[in-house]
Amino acid sequence: MKRKISILGSTGSVGTQCLDLIEENLKDFELITITAGINEKKLEEQVNKFKPKYYYSKSDLNYSYGKRLNNYQDILKFDDSDLIVIALSGVEGIDPTIFSLEQGRKVLLANKESLVVGGDIIVELSKDNGGEIIPLDSEHSAIWQCIKNEDYGSIDRVILTASGGALRDRATEELKKITVDDVLAHPTWKMGKKITVDSSTLINKVFEVQEASNLFSLPLDKIEVLFHRQSLIHGLAEFNDGNILAVLSYPDMKIPILYGLYYPERKSSSKIEKIDFRSIESLSFESFPEEKLGWFNFGMQLLNSSKLAPSFLVGSDQAAVEMFLEGKVSYTGMLDAMKRVYERFDFSVEYNLETIKETVQRSYIMTLKEIE
Ligand SMILES: NC(=O)c1ccc[n+]([C@@H]2O[C@H](COP(=O)([O-])OP(=O)(O)OC[C@H]3O[C@@H](n4cnc5c(N)ncnc54)[C@H](OP(=O)(O)O)[C@@H]3O)[C@@H](O)[C@H]2O)c1
């Protein structure tokens, strides 16, 4: 029987890769809904090609196939898919993730911001409503594969690998003059702009630590980051008996996406290149120079400071990165602005879904104003 599937954020990097895999396996999937933000051209192409039942974007244009829906609540009212891929970027992914899990849906979750800000609540929501979260982020997919059939009490630590991003070999003095093009030239992964900037600052790794802590209910001190420039090992889990399990593959998001699409089965794909070990000269692990850990240390310190700090980090970082991409703040100016906003931010409110969203919104606006 065909799996009914919806992709929220179908025009982005994760979304298009997901559609690529579905195209290869049309006999296995029926596309129910696809959505975009502003990229009408790509959305229309996808609607014409895949003929989903519904589509959504910020415009009100109607296409030759399917029916336009007006918002995510409407989507979840009409859409009866078995699998919902949440490939939206940034804070836009938070509400659709919550709506889907409240309805007990199976969610393939790429959007990391939702897991960072309120992952523990989201995981509970999913359990209470009979939903399921399958992580699509490569590191989390890897760790999940390592630990899901193990006794979590026997896990000594999990390790997320980091390539170091596009600026890993730049001298610290050069960072002030870094351009958007410099940052977007990621050495190993091809991703959307926001996450590529976050990879270069290492804030992406801070997000991933919090994501792993929430997703797997592990304390922050059991999660480590290891710099591994080849991006061939994605995640590792070390157990109390000294055994380590790891997941390796070429850096290609199609691999965790394919795993998620067919989970719990495994499926082969002509679109996936398998590792040829003889062509790999080395697997290296290194320490990052301390002077380049400014963002990382700031972010990690924040995670440990308050339950709402991850929400601050997500909102503030979103604003800073948007302003950087628009050329309104320098690369190093992003962190300076976030630190200034953090200094005067009030965290003295209760932690719940409402205050999470309010904190994301407030830190976003305060950071925009700080930069303007
Ligand atoms: N890319 C990767 O390899 C990768 C790996 C791991 C995790 N992730 C995570 O997966 C998520 C998606 O990343 P991505 O790289 O695929 O992002 P992306 O290329 O920027 O795509 C984002 C998608 O969300 C849509 N979108 C953005 N803002 C929207 C809004 N306000 N309203 C409605 N739709 C909106 C975009 O539509 P438009 O095209 O119309 O703008 C696009 O379809 C992020 O949370 C990221 O951290 C990505």
Side-chain angles (χ1 to χ4, degrees), residues 145-264:
Q145 290 178 63
C146 294
I147 67 176
K148 69 181 155 48
N149 296 322
E150 302 288 340
D151 166 14
Y152 276 31
S154 67
I155 300 170
D156 270 0
R157 59 180 174 151
V158 298
I159 302 171
L160 303 158
T161 55
S163 68
L167 308 181
R168 63 190 183 188
D169 295 321
R170 297 290 188 115
T172 318
E173 313 80 67
E174 282 183 68
L175 296 184
K176 278 200 178 107
K177 294 192 209 125
I178 287 297
T179 66
V180 170
D181 286 346
D182 292 330
V183 180
L184 295 183
H186 196 288
T188 50
W189 292 97
K190 204 172 175 322
M191 309 179 285
K193 287 183 182 173
K194 162 78 168 45
I195 186 174
T196 306
V197 178
D198 287 342
S199 293
S200 76
T201 60
L202 298 179
I203 279 292
N204 183 48
K205 245 359 98 173
V206 176
F207 287 160
E208 288 179 358
V209 168
Q210 184 66 41
E211 206 181 334
S213 169
N214 286 335
L215 199 51
F216 308 126
S217 305
L218 290 171
L220 290 171
D221 62 5
K222 282 203 172 189
I223 304 164
E224 291 178 18
V225 172
L226 182 63
F227 292 98
H228 163 54
R229 59 175 56 232
Q230 295 85 8
S231 298
L232 292 168
I233 305 179
H234 306 294
L236 309 94
E238 184 177 64
F239 299 91
N240 55 9
D241 60 0
N243 280 300
I244 294 183
L245 296 181
V247 167
L248 287 80
S249 69
Y250 283 133
D252 179 356
M253 273 304 288
K254 286 203 189 77
I255 296 176
I257 295 172
L258 182 69
Y259 179 68
L261 287 176
Y262 282 90
Y263 175 79

Side-chain angles (χ1 to χ4, degrees), residues 4 15 41 85 89 103 116 124 142-143 170 179 199 206 212 229 236 257 280 292 326 329 340:
K4 293 182 180 178
K41 191 166 172 274
V85 183
S89 57
Q103 289 196 357
V116 173
E124 278 310 304
I143 289 169
R170 297 290 188 115
T179 66
S199 293
V206 176
R229 59 175 56 232
L236 309 94
I257 295 172
I280 295 168
K292 281 195 165 177
E326 286 172 26
V329 65
R340 288 195 300 273

Side-chain angles (χ1 to χ4, degrees), residues 8-15 17 35-40 42 56-58 72 86-90 92 109-113 136-139 189-195 198 204 208 211 253:
L8 311 189
S10 61
T11 50
S13 161
V14 171
Q17 293 183 77
T35 79
I38 50 170
N39 194 342
E40 288 305 318
K42 199 157 189 177
Y56 160 78
S57 65
K58 293 206 176 288
Y72 295 117
I86 306 212
L88 295 160
S89 57
E92 193 65 22
L109 190 51
N111 177 265
K112 62 181 66 192
E113 289 76 4
L136 283 196
D137 215 345
S138 57
E139 293 79 358
W189 292 97
K190 204 172 175 322
M191 309 179 285
K193 287 183 182 173
K194 162 78 168 45
I195 186 174
D198 287 342
N204 183 48
E208 288 179 358
E211 206 181 334
M253 273 304 288

Side-chain angles (χ1 to χ4, degrees), residues 7 13 17-18 22 44 80 92 97 103 144 165 167 184 192 197 200 238 243 256 286 317 327 335 349 352 357 364:
I7 305 171
S13 161
Q17 293 183 77
C18 203
I22 289 175
E44 184 173 14
D80 62 345
E92 193 65 22
T97 304
Q103 289 196 357
W144 190 53
L167 308 181
L184 295 183
V197 178
S200 76
E238 184 177 64
N243 280 300
E286 49 198 291
D317 177 67
L335 179 58
V349 284
N352 58 42
K357 288 187 211 168
Y364 175 81

Side-chain angles (χ1 to χ4, degrees), residues 37 60 156 281:
D60 52 9
D156 270 0
E281 282 174 16

